[in-house]
Amino acid sequence: RLDTSGGVQRISFDQFDSNSVCDVFIDSDGNLWVGTYDNGVYYANLTSFPFINYTSGLNVGTPRGIVMSDDGVIWVASDSRGLHCLRDGEWHEVPSLRDYKFQSACYDSATGDLFLGNWDGMVRYNPRTGRHDFIRFAEEISVGSRIPVFAICRDGSQLYLGTTIWIFV
């Protein structure tokens, strides 16, 4: 992490069973969540450490996107294992999205939707209703059938998508 003077402080990852970090997220309480390659999600309170494997015994695959919704629920979008959420101290799988290979995630507090990037575009998922729909746009720009979305970011009313060919707004 960078400190306020621009210096770098190394956080030891010796406690991980994997050394490939795929995503990091800091929740509203300042806790650090780390997704590791094919080995789940780790959690640390940055004032007390150490990291603990928060998905021990649960196969979440490779977490590619960790976000928190306004109700305090942690969401994990996984490559190969779909979407999971941590609610009231227990992990839950979203069965309708079980087989998706997600590459990124973004929570939209304005709508309450999760945007989940995958190999064919995006999935918009509404946690309140449990409904999801697909957003594909390769046909609209004549580049073939697939545009993977590897990064999603919300800034005001704009949703930015990082893909294999361009950034879309």
Side-chain angles (χ1 to χ4, degrees):
R1 65 184 172 192
L2 294 175
D3 62 27
T4 56
S5 65
V8 175
Q9 176 189 6
R10 183 175 187 267
I11 298 175
S12 173
F13 295 112
D14 298 337
Q15 298 141 343
F16 295 167
D17 293 329
S18 172
N19 62 359
S20 295
V21 173
C22 297
D23 195 30
V24 294
F25 174 74
I26 296 181
D27 67 21
S28 58
D29 294 325
N31 300 310
L32 179 63
W33 298 82
V34 178
T36 62
Y37 179 78
D38 210 22
N39 210 16
V41 177
Y42 290 77
Y43 159 89
N45 177 308
L46 292 180
T47 59
S48 62
F49 283 107
F51 281 96
I52 60 168
N53 187 330
Y54 220 76
T55 51
S56 183
L58 174 70
N59 184 359
V60 296
T62 299
R64 299 285 186 178
I66 304 171
V67 296
M68 177 184 266
S69 51
D70 290 337
D71 57 1
V73 174
I74 295 286
W75 296 89
V76 176
S78 171
D79 185 352
S80 79
R81 299 294 296 175
L83 183 64
H84 293 81
C85 70
L86 178 62
R87 180 182 298 122
D88 299 325
E90 291 188 30
W91 286 101
H92 304 273
E93 179 183 54
V94 177
S96 62
L97 299 173
R98 174 179 295 138
D99 296 323
Y100 285 87
K101 296 181 177 187
F102 294 120
Q103 301 302 307
S104 56
C106 177
Y107 175 72
D108 183 357
S109 60
T111 65
D113 292 335
L114 292 169
F115 289 93
L116 307 161
N118 68 9
W119 290 95
D120 292 313
M122 280 194 316
V123 173
R124 178 178 27 219
Y125 175 72
N126 184 310
R128 293 180 309 280
T129 65
R131 294 187 178 165
H132 67 276
D133 59 317
F134 302 97
I135 302 170
R136 294 185 177 101
F137 39 85
E139 300 84 20
E140 298 173 11
I141 57 174
S142 302
V143 297
S145 61
R146 299 178 84 189
I147 298 180
V149 175
F150 293 121
I152 307 171
C153 180
R154 167 71 83 184
D155 182 34
S157 64
Q158 302 294 316
L159 194 64
Y160 293 85
L161 309 177
T163 72
T164 54
I165 59 171
W166 295 317
I167 294 175
F168 291 91
V169 180

